[in-house]
Amino acid sequence: MQHKCKVCSTRFTGRKRKYCTQTCSDRAANLKRRYGITSEEVVQMYRDQAGRCHICDVPVDIHELGFTKHTPAQIDHLHDSTHVRGLLCSHCNLGLGHFKDNRRVLENAIKYLTITYKKD
């Protein structure tokens, strides 16, 4: 009987199990441990975002789940918690981190960019 891996969607035969390999099982366990979410929830976020960064709209892939065509998607979450906000590219994820997820500072950065913007 054929089964579909819950992580990478690979079809495999054999006894009933959720994952095709130990690697996929480890990936699923890592997501649950680090972020409190399942691989299915990550795939649903990926679909909801049409495979794109939630901020800058560049194509991203879920490398943790074995999809590696585009830049890796980062799982954006509130630090010191498991609350997941969405999938971002590494640049946007680092940007939020550098601004320490502080809305006031980000708003000031937007104001700064607005008043100092110069067309070429």
Side-chain angles (χ1 to χ4, degrees):
M1 178 170 198
Q2 282 220 339
H3 306 286
K4 186 176 175 183
C5 181
K6 298 285 186 184
V7 170
C8 70
S9 298
T10 298
R11 297 237 174 240
F12 63 95
T13 58
R15 63 183 177 10
K16 179 121 174 109
R17 58 183 189 222
K18 293 180 181 180
Y19 311 107
C20 63
T21 64
Q22 186 62 45
T23 300
C24 283
S25 178
D26 292 345
R27 286 175 174 155
N30 183 46
L31 287 170
K32 195 67 168 170
R33 180 179 43 79
R34 288 183 71 193
Y35 306 109
I37 58 175
T38 65
S39 55
E40 292 93 341
E41 290 171 305
V42 175
V43 169
Q44 188 58 51
M45 271 192 291
Y46 180 79
R47 287 182 181 138
D48 291 346
Q49 292 180 214
R52 304 187 83 76
C53 173
H54 203 34
I55 293 175
C56 73
D57 205 38
V58 300
V60 293
D61 275 332
I62 313 165
H63 287 211
E64 288 179 310
L65 300 182
F67 308 116
T68 58
K69 182 178 177 186
H70 300 290
T71 186
Q74 307 291 311
I75 297 173
D76 180 43
H77 65 286
L78 288 174
H79 293 91
D80 300 326
S81 84
T82 58
H83 175 71
V84 173
R85 297 184 286 207
L87 301 174
L88 302 177
C89 72
S90 58
H91 295 291
C92 291
N93 193 44
L94 283 171
L96 290 180
H98 287 297
F99 283 107
K100 297 179 177 48
D101 296 329
N102 185 313
R103 288 187 295 187
R104 183 186 55 78
V105 175
L106 282 165
E107 287 167 358
N108 287 342
I110 291 167
K111 288 177 190 172
Y112 171 78
L113 288 174
T114 302
I115 63 173
T116 61
Y117 180 76
K118 180 180 177 184
K119 281 192 172 184
D120 291 333

